[in-house]
Amino acid sequence: MFRIGPLEPVAPVVLAPMAGVTNAPFRAMCREFAPGLIYVNEMVMASALVNGNAKTQRMITFADGESPRSLQLYGSDPVTMGEAVRRLCDADRVDHIDLNFGCPAAKVTRKGGGAAVPAKPRLLRSILRAAVGAAAPYGVPVTAKFRMGLTDDLLTFRLTGRIAVEEGVAAIALHARTAEQHYAGAADWAAIGELKDAVAEIPVLGNGDIWEAADALAMMRATGCDGVVIGRGCLGRPWLFADLVAVLNGLAPAPTPLLGQVVETMARHARLLAGHLGENLAMRDFRKHTAWYLTGYPVGGEVRRRFSNVSTLAELDDLIAALDPTLAVVPGGERIRRGHTNGPIRVALPAGYLDDPDDATPPDDADVMALSGG
Ligand SMILES: Cc1cc2nc3c(=O)[nH]c(=O)nc-3n(C[C@H](O)[C@H](O)[C@H](O)COP(=O)(O)O)c2cc1C
C-alpha cells in the first residue's frame, strides 16, 4: 500500500503543485474525475504566510471536505519556514506540506533560494529540520520536491534525498531536469532510478513528462519509483487522473473525450474559478486554460484566439455553443506540450554562491513574493 506518512491515497499519483494553476477550483475538477488522490495546492511563500496577506489567505483555500489538504511551501529561511508550518498545523489548515527546492526562477535562485538551496546541504538540512520539527507534533507529513541539481556539473539530487531521509521527510519527488534545463528537452528518468537506488527508506516519486497514463506505468517500470507526480500533462485534461488510476489498477484508460465533453468540463471549471476569484479576474486567468483544453482539437486559430480573449462566462458559453461537439482530438494530440516548454536558461546565483557549500546562511529573499514555481 502506497502511503505518505498517514496519508493513504487510492493510487500512487500526485498532482504537481503548479503556481497559478493548482488552486481549489482546478483541484476540484481533478477530484471529480479521480477522488482520493493527493492534489497539491499552488506554491505559497512561507514568509507571506507568516507576515499575513489577503492574497496568501485566498491561496490557501481548500474546498469543504477536501481531503487531504495538501500545500506546497517555498522558503529558504529555517526560522520562517518553521513558523509558517507551525501556524498552518496549529490552525488545522493542512494535512500535508510539500517543500519546494526546485524553483528555477532567476528572481529566486539569484538570492540563493529555490533550486539553489540543495547546493548548500547544511542550509537545506536546517530548512527541512525546521519544517519537519514543526509539523511532527500535529502528525502532518512533510515531503520535498526538487530537481536533479543546478546544472549537469552540479547534481545534488542523491544527497538531497539522503538528507531528506535523515531529517524525517515522508516522501520525496524528483523533477528529473536540472534548473538550467528549465522545461526543455526530455526529463531524465534514469535519474529517478538513481534516486530510488539511493533512497530505500521512504517513497520516491518520479516527475517529468507524463503526458498519458501509460507514461506513468513506463516510468514506474523503468525507474522502480513508488509513484508519480503529474504536472503539465493534466493541463486542460483533468480526466488524466481517472486514466492513471485505471491504468495503475490494470485497466484500460478511457478514450480521449470528444470536444463536446471537453468544453463541458471547461465550462464547469470556469464557473468554479469565477466563484473563487470573482468573474472578472477569473475569466482573465481562465484564458490560459481555454488554450489547454482546446490543445489537440482542430478548431482553428481564429476560434482559439477568441477563447484566449474571453472576458465573461456568457461569452465563454457563446463560444462553446458555436463549436462542433463531435470533433475528435488529432492523433497524438494528448502529447502536445502545454504549459512551460522553454529552456535552457542561465541559472542566476548570488556572487560567489558556490564557493562555500557549507555556508548555511539563509538567503535574503524577503522581496521574492511572486514566483513562477518549480
Ligand atoms: C505553470 C507551472 C507552474 C509550476 N509551479 C510549480 C510550483 O509552484 N512548485 C513546484 O514545485 N513546481 C512547479 N512547477 C513544476 C511542476 O510541478 C513539475 O515539476 C514540472 O512541470 C515537470 O512535470 P511535468 O513534466 O509533468 O509537467 C510548475 C510547472 C508549471 C508548468
Side-chain angles (χ1 to χ4, degrees), residues 26 61 65 68 97 113-114 128 145 158 179 190 200 217 220 242 244 247 331:
F26 186 89
T61 308
I97 289 174
L128 290 171
K145 178 167 175 287
R158 285 183 221 91
L217 268 189
M220 291 176 78
L244 286 158
V247 163

Side-chain angles (χ1 to χ4, degrees), residues 16-21 42-43 72 98 100 102-103 145 147 175 177 183 207-211 229-233 235 292 338-340 372-374:
M18 288 184 276
V21 177
E42 50 188 335
M43 174 178 74
Q72 189 187 54
D98 183 52
N100 178 339
C103 184
K145 178 167 175 287
R147 290 183 178 236
H175 176 190
R177 285 188 173 83
Y183 289 90
N207 172 230
D209 294 347
I210 293 177
W211 302 101
V229 178
I230 309 295
R232 296 163 298 166
L235 298 178
W292 294 330
R338 48 208 72 214
H340 303 329
S372 64

